[in-house]
Amino acid sequence: MVGNDFALDGWIVRPQRCCIERGDDIVRVKPKSMAVLECLASAAGNVVSRGELFDSVWPGAMVSDDALTHCVVELRKAFGDTPRDARVIETIPKMGFRLLPQVRYLSASSYDDAIVVADTNPKSVQPQLIWAASAMLSIAVLIVAWHYSQRTVVATQYTHLDDNTLAVLPFVDLSPHQDQEHFTDGLSEELINRLARLNGLQVVGRTSSFFFKNKSENLSDIGRTLRVRHILEGSVRKFDDQLRITAQLIDVSNGYQLWSDTYNRPVDDIFAIQNDISESVAQSLSIELSVGTGVDTLGGTSSVEAYEQLMLGKSMYGDFTSESVLKAIGYFKRATEIDPNYAYAWAALADSYRSARLVLGEKKAKNWSVLAEDALARATRIAPNSGPVLAATAFRHADLGQWADVERIFTRAGRYFSGSEIKTSGVYSDHLVKVGRANDALTWVETARRLEPLAPGFAMFLGHIYAMQGRLDEAMAELERGYELAHARPLVAVEGMVTALATDDPALQQKWIDRAVRHQQPGANAVNETMALLRHDRQSALHWLRNAFERSEVPDYYVTVWAAHLDDPHLALQAMQRTPDPWVFWSPLTAEVRSMSGFKDLVRETKMDAYWREFGWGDFCRPSGTSDFTCDNSAVVVQAEVATLQ
């Protein structure tokens, strides 16, 4: 049935037009790529060998494996598919490829109402949908999830793009089995880090650049969306111990290629290749390398094997599920075993141990704080001034409430790694929010957002800061943007719920409560689900919440949030005192709590007043005499009064 249109996993494939459609989305592919797709479709889910594909698509011609690989990569981009979590085209190692969704060929009369058969392959089931209570609800959620993950970015039109702006897109894996995604991602990330250290060059952060991974966006649209004039892109082919890396630098304002090169070298030359590409880009953009280029290697390794283990770990850690975090820890540990002096790997191990409690729960990860301390100590002994080690150290001090130490670390950090790296790390933004410096945090995060326009974390930070300042409409708009960018991840959903609960909009509150329940964090299930049912019966809701708090059955953070929403500031303060979390200190929800005398005791207990006296007062509290202070429920009032004292 070559040439006939067919339905595939919600898409309409039109071979004669060389396009793939889904609703208003139309993706065009090359004729050879379409021929590959037709060949796979005709196999009805069976494996098609590489030889069969060559015979069908390039009959009698002598072509390299790269030709087929390029076609598969283009098709995966068109469908938003990935080789690691394939939903459409699956690679069968040493055999070939197969099409996972069921194919339905369409007659001329069935285009408008084509019945798309659901993919029943287990690999395509999204884990977050298992909670659904009915099949119809599951389908609805799947459609919404697909919409967020596959949507096309609407490019913002800018009248001018700075000459020295750059985005590094994820390099494409052209290896025979396309099993080197971690390696290609690692190369792209390392180039981002190296190029960010060049004086005079603004480099978009990893999160925003990687947003376009496996997408078929036009480079000029990507440039406008990321607000950059130059894009570096390329491909990697790894076979045994050999690498073939191609890279090109494009001026997106006119489409001209400014530089390109191909590297055919042993795998052991990967670090030299990274240097070569960085220097070539710098020369093409007429930017001098930073003074003291040794900063690039602080805490690094000369072992390709250790480097590859770190990249594997980072690829797992990014998924941030209980399974992926455990796998990441295993890879990080292996990297430190291969090279005991690999400070980056020790810092990554410390961070993964530290944050494991967020996905595993406090009970399962309670002993890992000791392991995190040990790993960080090793990293600090090796490279105390490297960026990742300083960031991990700052997080540790923040966890311990050592606010002055966090401030000193970032004063020191500016001498060792670039300002863009500091801003896009998110550590200092988190610190400023927790110590109640909303105005300073706003300036910092708005700058970070320019470097990471598509990072959901900074949308969450910005929403939180707007809420601190009482700008709830702006806060909710930014959190909505972050929720879409994050594909509905738990942290953004929870932040949106907390902020929505501070509004007077019942419909908005319900929407975000539903989202928070749908994307639960460990330990949050019981409290959020129960409060969702009982919150309109204040007495019953508070009765349940107090009992749960007394028995320590739910996280104190959620007790604080719901008690404050239900107008019980005393219970909210009790929860804050038992587990002080400054992230919620300055929320509009806890405004009444801040006017209570016990809140001042809490501030003293966390030693935040000592930090303010050394580094400047926050937006919610002000000095009263030489040893006392007062806190108000409005940042606006405090800002005005502090201004009169200066």
Side-chain angles (χ1 to χ4, degrees):
M1 303 184 72
V2 175
N4 284 14
D5 295 354
F6 56 92
L8 182 69
D9 198 24
W11 294 88
I12 301 298
V13 180
R14 304 189 187 277
Q16 293 183 352
R17 303 181 192 174
C18 283
C19 70
I20 304 171
E21 303 174 1
R22 187 161 196 165
D24 294 331
D25 293 334
I26 300 176
V27 181
R28 301 194 180 278
V29 298
K30 295 182 177 66
K32 291 298 185 184
S33 298
M34 181 58 71
V36 169
L37 181 58
E38 283 191 280
C39 188
L40 293 174
S42 65
N46 294 316
V47 177
V48 182
S49 70
R50 287 176 171 269
E52 291 171 326
L53 286 167
F54 281 121
D55 291 342
S56 175
V57 180
W58 295 273
M62 296 294 293
V63 294
S64 68
D65 282 351
D66 282 355
L68 175 58
T69 303
H70 273 289
C71 290
V72 174
V73 168
E74 183 181 22
L75 290 171
R76 281 182 169 146
K77 280 189 175 182
F79 288 113
D81 202 19
T82 65
R84 192 176 74 180
D85 186 23
R87 295 180 296 106
V88 180
I89 301 175
E90 182 181 22
T91 301
I92 309 298
K94 299 182 180 180
M95 294 182 64
F97 305 92
R98 74 185 182 102
L99 210 55
L100 294 175
Q102 186 173 342
V103 176
R104 177 181 174 82
Y105 286 96
L106 304 175
S107 64
S109 61
S110 60
Y111 290 147
D112 295 332
D113 57 349
I115 300 173
V116 180
V117 180
D119 178 9
T120 57
N121 187 287
K123 292 186 68 174
S124 70
V125 177
Q126 299 296 317
Q128 65 266 35
L129 302 179
I130 297 176
W131 61 271
S134 69
M136 289 302 294
L137 186 56
S138 296
I139 293 171
V141 174
L142 180 58
I143 292 171
V144 173
W146 179 90
H147 171 74
Y148 285 136
S149 64
Q150 302 296 328
R151 64 189 175 82
T152 300
V153 177
V154 178
T156 304
Q157 299 297 321
Y158 296 99
T159 57
H160 174 70
L161 298 174
D162 292 337
D163 290 342
N164 296 338
T165 51
L166 173 72
V168 180
L169 297 186
F171 277 44
V172 178
D173 177 18
L174 296 182
S175 302
H177 302 301
Q178 292 186 264
D179 56 353
Q180 298 297 316
E181 183 179 8
H182 64 281
F183 195 89
T184 56
D185 285 356
L187 171 63
S188 307
E189 183 174 350
E190 186 61 26
L191 287 172
I192 290 172
N193 294 336
R194 287 170 182 256
L195 291 167
R197 295 187 178 99
L198 299 179
N199 291 326
L201 181 63
Q202 278 198 323
V203 181
V204 168
R206 180 191 187 281
T207 303
S208 297
S209 291
F210 274 60
F211 183 89
F212 296 97
K213 183 177 178 179
N214 299 317
K215 291 184 172 67
S216 300
E217 301 291 331
N218 183 282
L219 288 184
S220 61
D221 289 341
I222 294 175
R224 283 190 292 269
T225 300
L226 297 180
R227 233 181 146 172
V228 297
R229 179 166 179 172
H230 303 99
I231 285 179
L232 179 67
E233 63 172 1
S235 63
V236 178
R237 176 182 171 85
K238 184 181 178 187
F239 187 75
D240 293 334
D241 62 348
Q242 294 296 310
L243 281 176
R244 178 182 177 87
I245 297 177
T246 63
Q248 61 177 346
L249 182 66
I250 306 296
D251 184 336
V252 297
S253 68
N254 53 33
Y256 291 162
Q257 183 185 84
L258 302 179
W259 163 84
S260 68
D261 208 342
T262 300
Y263 305 84
N264 291 292
R265 298 189 193 174
V267 171
D268 290 346
D269 281 355
I270 181 62
F271 305 121
I273 295 172
Q274 291 169 350
N275 278 327
D276 289 348
I277 295 175
S278 299
E279 291 176 5
S280 296
V281 171
Q283 291 170 4
S284 295
L285 298 179
S286 301
I287 300 170
E288 295 183 358
L289 291 173
S290 299
V291 176
T293 54
V295 69
D296 286 351
T297 58
L298 279 177
T301 183
S302 59
S303 168
V304 173
E305 186 181 1
Y307 170 79
E308 190 163 11
Q309 292 296 308
L310 180 73
M311 292 302 104
L312 283 165
K314 293 180 79 170
S315 69
M316 289 287 103
Y317 188 75
D319 293 340
F320 212 65
T321 64
S322 56
E323 181 181 2
S324 68
V325 168
L326 289 173
K327 287 182 178 179
I329 288 172
Y331 285 123
F332 294 147
K333 288 175 66 176
R334 178 61 181 151
T336 63
E337 292 166 358
I338 296 169
D339 183 357
N341 291 316
Y342 197 177
Y344 280 17
W346 284 111
L349 186 59
D351 273 340
S352 58
Y353 278 137
R354 171 189 165 274
S355 58
R357 60 187 174 83
L358 295 176
V359 291
L360 297 175
E362 295 286 353
K363 292 182 179 179
K364 291 184 179 179
K366 64 180 180 180
N367 296 323
W368 284 10
S369 59
V370 176
L371 297 174
E373 290 281 340
D374 291 344
L376 183 57
R378 290 290 295 269
T380 303
R381 286 198 295 271
I382 299 165
N385 295 321
S386 73
V389 176
L390 286 170
T393 305
F395 265 129
R396 172 185 175 275
H397 286 304
D399 286 345
L400 297 174
Q402 297 167 344
W403 315 113
D405 289 328
V406 176
E407 196 74 40
R408 294 187 189 102
I409 283 173
F410 278 92
T411 300
R412 193 173 99 218
R415 302 198 300 269
Y416 295 101
F417 62 125
S418 73
S420 63
E421 284 182 284
I422 297 174
K423 287 180 170 61
T424 56
S425 72
V427 187
Y428 195 53
S429 306
D430 181 81
H431 164 69
L432 291 173
V433 165
K434 287 181 176 177
V435 296
R437 291 169 56 185
N439 280 342
D440 293 336
L442 180 62
T443 301
W444 192 270
V445 174
E446 285 180 337
T447 302
R449 183 185 170 183
R450 287 197 294 272
L451 295 168
E452 280 279 27
L454 302 179
F458 286 116
M460 184 182 74
F461 274 124
L462 199 53
H464 186 85
I465 293 165
Y466 286 154
M468 289 170 67
Q469 296 180 324
R471 300 157 62 181
L472 293 181
D473 289 343
E474 294 170 87
M476 294 312 310
E478 190 65 15
L479 288 164
E480 184 69 38
R481 188 181 76 88
Y483 182 82
E484 292 187 12
L485 287 174
H487 311 325
R489 288 178 185 165
L491 290 177
V492 183
V494 169
E495 182 62 34
M497 180 190 76
V498 173
T499 305
L501 290 177
T503 72
D504 296 323
D505 187 338
L508 184 67
Q509 293 173 358
Q510 191 61 53
K511 179 176 79 170
W512 281 95
I513 291 170
D514 291 343
R515 287 175 171 179
V517 170
R518 186 183 311 156
H519 309 287
Q520 294 283 11
Q521 292 178 281
N525 302 54
V527 62
N528 287 340
E529 289 178 357
T530 304
M531 290 297 99
L533 293 172
L534 297 179
R535 70 190 188 96
H536 297 297
D537 182 352
R538 180 176 177 274
Q539 185 174 355
S540 297
L542 284 173
H543 177 74
W544 184 93
L545 197 62
R546 290 190 192 101
N547 287 337
F549 173 69
E550 291 171 2
R551 294 193 295 267
S552 300
E553 292 178 345
V554 297
D556 292 331
Y557 174 84
Y558 288 100
V559 175
T560 300
V561 166
W562 283 106
H565 174 65
L566 295 168
D567 297 323
D568 189 340
H570 296 282
L571 178 58
L573 179 60
Q574 284 181 286
M576 292 166 70
Q577 289 170 329
R578 188 162 75 180
T579 307
D581 185 352
W583 183 263
V584 78
F585 280 15
W586 319 112
S587 166
L589 269 181
T590 56
E592 189 173 351
V593 177
R594 292 195 293 273
S595 64
M596 301 171 66
S597 60
F599 182 76
K600 287 177 58 176
D601 297 332
L602 181 58
V603 169
R604 291 191 181 97
E605 180 186 338
T606 57
K607 299 181 173 58
M608 204 168 288
D609 58 327
Y611 164 84
W612 288 329
R613 293 186 187 282
E614 182 175 355
F615 295 99
W617 289 81
D619 301 331
F620 297 85
C621 300
R622 62 190 183 281
S624 177
T626 57
S627 59
D628 200 6
F629 64 93
T630 58
C631 294
D632 288 299
N633 59 17
S634 170
V636 177
V637 173
V638 175
Q639 291 162 17
E641 293 189 8
V642 170
T644 62
L645 297 174
Q646 296 175 340

